[in-house]
Amino acid sequence: MVSALKNGPDYRQMLREAGLRVTPQRASIVTILSETDDHPSVEDLYEKTRTLDDTVSVATVYRTMSVLENAGLVRKLVMDDAPARYEMMPQTDHDHLVDVESGDLVEIPGTEISELMGRVASELGYRIVSHHTVIRARKV
Amino acid sequence: MVSALKNGPDYRQMLREAGLRVTPQRASIVTILSETDDHPSVEDLYEKTRTLDDTVSVATVYRTMSVLENAGLVRKLVMDDAPARYEMMPQTDHDHLVDVESGDLVEIPGTEISELMGRVASELGYRIVSHHTVIRARKV
DNA sequence: CTTGGTGCAAATGATTTGCAAGCCT
DNA sequence: AGGCTTGCAAATCATTTGCACCAAG
């Protein structure tokens, strides 16, 4: 999952295709977010990105996440009481579950939940823009 | 839906049964929240409650919501970008949808969504504690 | 060049908290 | 009486923004 090239052209291209300017900061942030398998907060992302590129500021991480979210490249996970977390927009849709004991974020594979939501919303005359669902659960 | 008695003993009792102290502030806040059919934010709640009892402070509304949530008497709806909203814990379960145009909060009747979540979570070895699901959607 | 991006620090907005006084049980 | 609650104001936390400078296209 880890690319050999730091800041490889793949990420730059992804940005360019979305019609966004490619800055070194954006490339670094996307690199870090892409190669991480947990769901980092802005603060996490900031710290990790800094090890790769120390010109990045927190403000830029916030701004970048916002831009990427609007471009549909990343998904924001709104938490109940903790700062938001982010993931690259998944190709295989899934939902999330927070382990209330550990705080871990577990991915729920499968697309059933959002399909059902879409169906139910359309019965009310709506089309889903996004659904920010976080399930709090405890190990059995 | 609107009770004749302001601050009726029904709400005081509801608090007492939950093992909570009954203060005039709590009674007022619960009265307002119970008799409202939208999903007020703390600020909304504070303003409305003030018309009934001007000794209430915002801090107390926050503290009361927190206490009531822990007692399982109210449900907190975590929004994406706006302050949290609250509703009395519904007997008939339902989910929520935010109209991204108007900001309106629409209730999605039915229990299918949370049933599916529960089923899917249990496949991962979890039992749901709570799920705060808010769907952002746009009118068709 | 020109527009948009960035760092820094200050500003904002929501929610929390320390403290002294007051009320519920 | 004694501990939980409250109001007030100050504090915290996450996120946003103004501004002067810099860089991508």
Side-chain angles (χ1 to χ4, degrees):
Chain A
M1 255 327 180
V2 177
S3 92
L5 323 173
K6 286 299 172 194
N7 257 359
D10 28 342
Y11 302 127
R12 316 179 85 83
Q13 171 139 11
M14 164 184 313
L15 291 168
R16 203 168 288 118
E17 284 172 357
L20 303 175
R21 280 204 188 176
V22 181
T23 67
Q25 292 86 343
R26 288 181 179 175
S28 300
I29 294 169
V30 172
T31 300
I32 294 293
L33 180 57
S34 296
E35 296 185 351
T36 247
D37 52 354
D38 53 5
H39 301 72
S41 65
V42 165
E43 193 60 29
D44 296 337
L45 219 35
Y46 170 63
E47 281 163 19
K48 288 191 184 175
T49 303
R50 269 202 146 234
T51 69
L52 182 61
D53 174 351
D54 62 2
T55 73
V56 177
S57 71
V58 220
T60 293
V61 179
Y62 276 107
R63 284 191 274 230
T64 300
M65 286 302 103
S66 168
V67 164
L68 295 180
E69 191 192 2
N70 290 334
L73 294 179
V74 312
R75 181 151 72 157
K76 179 182 188 177
L77 307 173
V78 177
M79 310 303 289
D80 212 29
D81 42 9
R85 296 172 166 209
Y86 296 86
E87 66 181 356
M88 292 303 290
M89 184 59 78
Q91 46 319 35
T92 57
D93 193 23
H94 59 252
D95 291 288
H96 297 88
L97 175 159
V98 182
D99 185 320
V100 290
E101 306 288 358
S102 65
D104 289 348
L105 216 165
V106 179
E107 295 192 353
I108 301 180
T111 164
E112 309 167 76
I113 295 180
S114 38
E115 275 171 13
L116 176 57
M117 287 183 184
R119 196 176 323 134
V120 155
S122 78
E123 283 167 15
L124 293 170
Y126 284 92
R127 186 184 316 282
I128 291 189
V129 172
S130 64
H131 67 94
H132 293 180
T133 295
V134 178
I135 298 173
R136 301 175 59 238
R138 160 171 291 130
K139 276 219 180 68
V140 176
Chain B
M1 254 328 181
V2 177
S3 92
L5 322 174
K6 285 300 172 194
N7 257 357
D10 28 341
Y11 303 127
R12 314 179 87 82
Q13 172 138 14
M14 163 183 314
L15 291 167
R16 203 170 286 117
E17 283 171 357
L20 302 175
R21 282 202 185 176
V22 181
T23 66
Q25 292 85 343
R26 287 180 179 176
S28 300
I29 293 168
V30 171
T31 300
I32 295 293
L33 180 56
S34 297
E35 298 184 350
T36 246
D37 52 354
D38 53 6
H39 300 74
S41 65
V42 165
E43 192 60 28
D44 296 336
L45 219 35
Y46 169 64
E47 281 163 19
K48 288 191 184 176
T49 303
R50 277 215 136 223
T51 68
L52 182 62
D53 175 352
D54 62 3
T55 74
V56 177
S57 71
V58 221
T60 293
V61 180
Y62 275 108
R63 284 191 274 231
T64 299
M65 285 302 101
S66 168
V67 163
L68 295 179
E69 190 191 3
N70 291 334
L73 294 180
V74 312
R75 181 151 72 155
K76 179 181 188 177
L77 307 173
V78 178
M79 310 304 288
D80 210 31
D81 42 7
R85 296 171 168 212
Y86 296 87
E87 65 181 356
M88 292 302 291
M89 185 60 78
Q91 49 313 49
T92 57
D93 193 24
H94 58 254
D95 291 288
H96 298 88
L97 178 158
V98 183
D99 185 319
V100 291
E101 306 288 358
S102 64
D104 288 350
L105 214 164
V106 179
E107 295 191 353
I108 302 179
T111 165
E112 309 166 77
I113 294 179
S114 37
E115 274 170 14
L116 176 57
M117 286 182 184
R119 197 176 321 134
V120 154
S122 78
E123 283 166 14
L124 293 170
Y126 283 92
R127 185 183 317 284
I128 291 189
V129 172
S130 65
H131 68 94
H132 296 179
T133 295
V134 178
I135 297 173
R136 300 176 59 239
R138 162 171 291 130
K139 276 220 180 68
V140 176

